[in-house]
């Protein structure tokens, strides 16, 4: 890799096409902050915590409105997570927010402890993946899904857009058990409308097509849908599945479309190792072995850049996805 | 799918075993989403309910010193039978645990979910054998379970596990975690307007964990004056003396600098122990730490000192050592 020459990235057709298909963009963390505030109005059990990132994780308004129910724990994530466990132990519902790398990495063992206790803690981690952008490697979590899903009792979910985020946050209040929700820094294209319903544990089939199935999560759902549109021009019809619950994964839907399509692509804003792709492969290898191409960050640390450029740099654009489908057999 | 059905699986007690075995067959482990019903049903099946006329927990005619001695005997025996455990560090904190459960804490073994109860979190999770012996003696569960300590299929796990033994407040074992959980419980109780206290016991080696200091800072910042940490200052950790590995002193000054009320006592002297807890209850606006100076392996000479620590921090005595230990605790070889 050349460090001191500017990296030339082509302008891509999908950049315009995405805006065409999804004219609206909305931040998942903003949607979370708003939803949390709404929920807290009517549910005294909800409390919130952050590790000096209340503003970035959008729980600052919560803190101002409900000062007695908000704990800024400072730059001390390990204590924060177990402390939240203690709050949950007396019957409160703590929403803990910090960046994905700190929530899942710095405090991994504490999350494990929460899971071992089955404390009803909701870890809503923002700034997942490479779209964190210019802050660079230390702040771009590409391993969080891998390390969170390895823990028993954890529910691991990643919404595809702000609409799904709102439903997800409401759903997890009803679920009794520890959750890890991975949100973003960037605003995501809005895919769903008010008719959408999020079901914990259920993968959502956004479009169907027999030639290939694309299992995606987060921002990659929008990118996959854009790729699907581009593939239609080549008369290739693909299924796009939004696997927003990575753990417990919807084995039934995965196997069903594996059988129909015979080949699968997995794509995520995460390492190709250990994340959604691995979760899908764990199912398929055992229940319905078909060829799978895994797209994601190729086992490298992130670098600084704009979100837009980094998505191109790491080959996570709709073109990369459609190319993977087209060249599947080669 | 597993996780979801997990969450829906509430009342363990409905499928409770006929004998005292907690797990049955393929449903290992049977975990519980603790509900009041499940807990009491569990207790009623497995536990011998204390048939007391009044609420006092101290059995008639027994002094606290006697109870402590009895606890020590049980700790050694249960570890010997298990073939593993942490004898020395369980014997150093015996008096503190006896004081807490038999005098200091407001709690009711017959109503373990009582919202107003004082809570205890064993942050030094490896001291669990002492906690089990004390809790059994209080009436939380049948003392017979002690002899199945650490055995596959039985509820007394090698380190506290609250899903498998719901009368425990938290699962601990990895050091530092219990302290933070206790602080969270203390904060939660304040939010809910419940005037109960939270007690947590730490090891001295444990204090080397960074998380402990994160928690100390936060607890003082949030003025958790219903939180009392006790440090089992037995001067040893696994690899040797704390001061030779990573020195902790001046430990009292460190906590003072972090905004805590500090008390330093002889951890084997009940009078000093009670005085310290009384001080804690009177202290407002800041959490309290009681640095209890103790002897690791107290009660059994061969468990003490450099050699004792090396051999008995985390291992069970063999039969010969067991005989010697129990003799010293007042149990003749014939009674073993």
């Amino acid at each position: 890799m050349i460090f001191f020459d500017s990296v030339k990235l082509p302008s891509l057709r999908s950049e315009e096409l995405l805006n065409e298909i999804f004219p609206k963009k909305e931040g998942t963390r903003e949607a979370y902050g708003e939803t949390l505030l709404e929920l807290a109005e009517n549910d005294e059990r909800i409390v919130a915590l952050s590790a000096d990132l209340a503003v970035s994780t959008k729980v600052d308004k919560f803190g101002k409105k409900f000062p007695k129910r908000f704990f800024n724990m400072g730059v001390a994530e390990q204590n924060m997570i177990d402390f939240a466990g203690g709050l949950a132990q007396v019957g409160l519902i703590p929403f803990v927010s910090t960046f994905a790398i700190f929530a899942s990495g710095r405090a991994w063992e504490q999350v494990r402890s929460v899971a071992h206790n089955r404390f009803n803690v909701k870890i809503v981690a923002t700034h997942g993946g490479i779209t964190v952008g210019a802050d660079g490697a230390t702040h771009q979590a590409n391993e969080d899904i891998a390390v969170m899903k390895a823990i028993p009792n954890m529910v691991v979910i990643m919404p595809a857009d702000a609409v799904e985020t709102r439903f997800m946050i409401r759903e997890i209040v009803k679920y009794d058990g520890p959750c890890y929700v991975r949100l973003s820094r960037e605003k995501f294209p809005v895919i769903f409308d008010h008719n959408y319903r999020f079901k914990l544990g259920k993968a959502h089939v956004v479009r169907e097509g027999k030639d290939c199935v694309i299992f995606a999560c987060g921002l990659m759902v929008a990118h996959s849908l854009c790729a699907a549109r581009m593939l239609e021009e080549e008369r290739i019809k693909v299924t796009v599945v939004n696997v927003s619950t990575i753990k417990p994964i919807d084995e039934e839907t995965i196997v069903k479309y594996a059988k129909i399509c015979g080949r699968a692509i997995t794509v995520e804003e995460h390492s190709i190792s250990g994340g959604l792709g691995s979760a899908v492969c764990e199912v398929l290898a055992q229940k319905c072995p078909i060829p799978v191409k895994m797209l994601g960050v190729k086992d490298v640390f992130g670098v600084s850049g704009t979100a837009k450029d980094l998505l191109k740099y790491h080959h996570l654009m709709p073109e990369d996805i459609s190319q993977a489908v087209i060249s599947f057999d080669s | 799918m597993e996780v979801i059905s997990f969450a829906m699986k509430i009342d363990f007690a409905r499928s409770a075993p006929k004998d005292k075995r907690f797990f049955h067959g393929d449903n290992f482990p049977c975990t519980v989403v603790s509900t009041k019903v499940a807990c009491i049903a569990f207790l009623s099946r497995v536990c011998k309910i204390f048939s007391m006329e009044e609420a006092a927990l101290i059995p008639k005619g027994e002094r606290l010193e006697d109870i402590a001695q009895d606890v020590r005997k049980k700790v050694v025996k249960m570890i010997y039978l298990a073939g593993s455990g942490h004898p020395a560090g369980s014997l150093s904190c015996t008096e503190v645990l006896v004081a807490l459960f038999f005098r200091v804490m407001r709690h009711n073994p017959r109503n373990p979910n009582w919202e107003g109860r004082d809570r205890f979190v064993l942050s030094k999770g490896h001291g669990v054998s002492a906690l089990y012996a004390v809790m059994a003696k209080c009436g939380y569960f049948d003392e017979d379970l002690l002899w199945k300590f650490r055995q596959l299929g039985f509820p007394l796990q090698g380190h506290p596990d609250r899903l498998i033994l719901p009368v425990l407040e938290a699962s601990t074992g990895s050091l530092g975690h219990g302290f933070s959980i206790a602080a969270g419980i203390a904060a939660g109780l304040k939010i809910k307007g419940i005037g109960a206290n939270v007690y947590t016991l730490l090891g001295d080696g444990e204090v080397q964990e960074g998380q402990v200091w994160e928690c100390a800072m936060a607890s003082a910042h949030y003025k958790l004056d219903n939180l009392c940490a006790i440090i089992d200052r037995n001067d040893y950790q696994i690899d040797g003396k704390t001061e030779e590995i990573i020195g902790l002193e001046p430990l009292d000054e460190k906590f003072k600098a972090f905004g805590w009320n500090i008390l330093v006592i002889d951890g084997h002297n009940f009078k000093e122990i009670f005085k310290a807890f009384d001080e804690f209850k009177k202290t407002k606006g800041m959490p309290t730490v009681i640095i209890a100076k103790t002897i690791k392996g107290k009660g059994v000479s061969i468990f003490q000192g450099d050699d004792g620590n090396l051999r008995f921090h985390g291992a069970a005595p063999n039969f010969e050592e067991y005989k010697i230990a129990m003799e010293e605790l007042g149990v003749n070889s014939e009674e073993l």
Side-chain angles (χ1 to χ4, degrees):
Chain A
M1 191 179 107
I2 307 162
F3 260 108
F4 303 111
D5 272 342
S6 57
V7 178
K8 303 262 189 303
L9 295 164
S11 63
L12 295 175
R13 186 187 155 215
S14 65
E15 292 174 75
E16 260 194 59
L17 191 53
L18 274 166
N19 290 330
E20 228 184 88
I21 309 172
F22 308 112
K24 233 181 109 193
K25 273 189 169 187
E26 204 187 334
T28 52
R29 51 184 172 136
E30 285 86 347
Y32 158 58
E34 285 163 19
T35 310
L36 189 64
L37 207 48
E38 284 165 23
L39 287 168
E41 299 275 356
N42 301 314
D43 194 339
E44 280 187 330
R45 301 170 301 169
I46 293 176
V47 297
L49 300 90
S50 189
D52 195 33
L53 287 170
V55 177
S56 309
T57 58
K58 304 299 176 190
V59 296
D60 50 335
K61 290 207 183 95
F62 184 106
K64 289 202 180 84
K65 186 116 196 257
F66 304 106
K68 291 208 166 11
R69 287 155 68 179
F70 176 73
F71 294 91
N72 198 329
M73 302 305 286
V75 190
E77 295 78 10
Q78 296 183 353
N79 180 51
M80 176 174 73
I81 299 282
D82 275 335
F83 188 94
L87 292 168
Q89 208 264 13
V90 300
L92 299 167
I93 305 179
F95 276 78
V96 186
S97 296
T98 180
F99 290 178
I101 185 61
F102 309 135
S104 66
R106 192 58 165 262
W108 182 83
E109 205 208 4
Q110 284 69 20
V111 177
R112 183 178 189 265
S113 178
V114 160
H116 179 217
N117 275 279
R118 243 182 156 268
F119 286 142
N120 193 24
V121 174
K122 317 297 179 190
I123 299 166
V124 182
T126 67
H127 292 64
I130 54 164
T131 50
V132 170
D135 274 353
T138 55
H139 288 60
Q140 295 175 16
N142 293 316
E143 311 89 341
D144 57 327
I145 302 299
V147 298
M148 289 289 98
K149 81 182 212 326
I151 301 174
N153 295 348
M154 284 306 289
V155 160
V156 180
I157 50 184
M158 189 191 307
D161 72 355
V163 173
E164 187 169 34
T165 304
R166 289 198 166 85
F167 283 113
M168 238 184 217
I169 300 300
R170 284 177 188 280
E171 270 311 293
I172 61 175
V173 175
K174 298 185 212 153
Y175 168 74
D176 186 12
C179 299
Y180 176 80
V181 187
R182 196 238 232 183
L183 306 181
S184 62
R185 176 173 185 264
E186 277 288 287
K187 291 184 165 49
F188 282 359
V190 175
I191 306 173
F192 302 115
D193 62 20
H194 58 272
N195 292 315
Y196 175 73
R197 286 294 173 270
F198 167 72
K199 279 210 203 91
L200 189 60
K202 213 66 194 100
H204 177 240
V205 182
V206 192
R207 72 181 278 152
E208 290 183 276
K210 286 200 302 215
D211 298 324
C212 184
V213 54
I214 304 173
F215 296 109
C217 60
L219 176 62
M220 294 301 112
V221 177
H223 283 208
S224 300
L225 290 168
C226 183
R229 177 80 78 87
M230 289 158 76
L231 285 165
E232 269 195 4
E233 293 161 17
E234 313 284 327
R235 297 188 204 279
I236 300 174
K237 298 197 192 305
V238 299
T239 300
V240 176
V241 183
N242 171 24
V243 189
S244 48
T245 305
I246 295 153
K247 179 171 185 176
I249 205 157
D250 183 356
E251 296 192 1
E252 215 184 294
T253 303
I254 290 172
V255 169
K256 175 177 172 194
Y257 285 92
K259 288 196 171 121
I260 295 171
C261 303
R263 26 156 97 114
I265 306 265
T266 64
V267 57
E268 58 199 299
E269 204 196 323
H270 183 277
S271 170
I272 48 170
S273 178
L276 170 70
S278 294
V280 168
C281 285
E282 281 164 27
V283 176
L284 293 180
Q286 296 180 91
K287 305 237 162 121
C288 182
I290 57 162
V292 180
K293 255 198 187 168
M294 295 167 75
L295 304 179
V297 178
K298 293 188 174 59
D299 193 32
V300 290
F301 286 109
V303 289
S304 290
T306 63
K308 211 167 83 144
D309 281 350
L310 290 175
L311 285 163
K312 290 183 191 175
Y313 181 78
H314 287 282
H315 299 288
L316 291 173
M317 293 299 285
E319 279 81 355
D320 300 294
I321 300 171
S322 58
Q323 201 37 50
V325 176
I326 292 169
S327 65
F328 202 105
D329 295 323
S330 51
Chain B
M1 294 317 164
E2 278 300 298
V3 175
I4 306 293
S5 59
F6 218 39
M8 308 310 174
K9 206 197 290 188
I10 359 166
D11 197 3
F12 148 79
R14 273 193 224 117
S15 55
K18 293 178 183 61
D19 60 11
K20 284 171 192 159
R21 280 176 62 91
F22 184 92
F23 310 126
H24 35 219
D26 300 325
N27 293 338
F28 174 93
C30 269
T31 14
V32 182
V33 173
S34 288
T35 60
K36 282 187 178 142
V37 174
C39 202
I40 291 173
F42 162 71
L43 287 172
S44 67
R45 302 238 191 164
V46 175
C47 306
K48 185 170 63 183
I49 299 298
F50 235 65
S51 54
M52 314 179 284
E53 275 110 344
E54 16 84 18
L57 286 163
I58 303 175
K60 288 204 171 77
E62 274 194 80
R63 305 173 312 145
L64 289 168
E65 288 79 357
D66 298 331
I67 295 175
Q69 190 71 345
D70 186 52
V71 167
R72 287 197 161 90
K73 290 174 194 168
K74 295 196 163 96
V75 163
V76 176
K77 181 176 172 186
M78 68 198 268
I79 291 175
Y80 167 70
L81 288 174
S84 66
H86 299 79
S90 300
L91 295 180
S92 54
C93 57
T94 300
E95 276 82 10
V96 168
L97 287 170
V98 168
L100 280 168
F101 277 83
F102 282 93
R103 184 75 73 75
V104 176
M105 295 201 309
R106 284 160 59 239
H107 66 118
N108 184 354
R110 276 181 298 185
N111 186 7
N113 283 338
W114 169 36
E115 236 201 349
R117 70 187 186 278
D118 287 339
R119 275 91 164 151
F120 174 74
V121 177
L122 185 65
S123 196
K124 67 170 266 183
H126 55 283
V128 73
S129 48
L131 179 63
Y132 288 153
V134 166
M135 288 182 83
K137 203 161 171 75
C138 276
Y140 277 97
F141 49 81
D142 198 311
E143 279 193 347
D144 285 346
L145 287 177
L146 297 176
W147 317 133
K148 300 292 187 189
F149 176 50
R150 289 175 161 240
Q151 283 190 41
L152 182 61
F154 291 87
L156 302 196
Q157 299 291 291
H159 288 79
D161 189 313
R162 77 159 199 149
L163 294 187
I164 299 177
L165 187 67
V167 290
L168 295 170
E169 300 288 356
S171 307
T172 55
S174 178
L175 300 176
H177 292 255
F179 189 27
S180 295
I181 293 172
I185 293 175
L189 290 172
K190 278 189 183 284
I191 289 180
K192 291 189 110 175
I194 298 172
N197 290 323
V198 186
Y199 299 89
T200 181
L201 180 68
L202 281 72
D204 48 5
E206 176 170 8
V207 146
Q208 289 161 354
E209 280 288 357
Q211 176 174 1
V212 167
W213 299 100
E214 290 181 14
C215 184
M217 267 192 282
S219 302
H221 181 90
Y222 284 108
K223 298 187 170 34
L224 300 178
D225 51 17
N226 55 343
L227 177 67
C228 180
I230 306 103
I231 299 182
D232 187 6
R233 189 71 175 108
N234 61 25
D235 299 328
Y236 279 95
Q237 51 191 112
I238 298 180
D239 283 345
K241 293 199 171 85
T242 60
E243 298 318 281
E244 283 165 17
I245 292 176
I246 293 282
L248 310 175
E249 294 301 331
L251 189 56
D252 52 351
E253 286 180 38
K254 287 187 168 81
F255 270 98
K256 189 153 179 230
F258 274 70
W260 285 59
N261 176 37
I262 41 158
L263 299 158
V264 182
I265 60 165
D266 171 357
H268 299 299
N269 181 317
F270 278 111
K271 234 170 120 179
E272 288 190 35
I273 293 173
F274 293 131
K275 189 153 176 264
F277 283 126
D278 281 339
E279 270 297 314
F280 154 64
K281 287 179 190 173
K282 286 187 262 178
T283 305
K284 300 292 164 215
M286 61 198 319
T288 296
V289 62
I290 299 173
I291 298 174
K293 289 186 187 283
T294 56
I295 295 171
K296 196 164 178 182
K298 171 89 171 164
V300 178
S301 316
I302 57 168
F303 290 179
Q304 297 171 22
D306 291 352
D307 292 333
N309 181 58
L310 193 62
R311 171 91 182 86
F312 294 109
H313 162 88
N318 59 32
F319 184 61
E320 281 309 312
E321 291 160 336
Y322 175 55
K323 270 201 306 187
I324 295 169
M326 294 302 270
E327 282 260 9
E328 195 176 336
L329 289 171
V331 181
N332 290 327
S333 317
E334 301 92 65
E335 297 170 57
L336 285 178

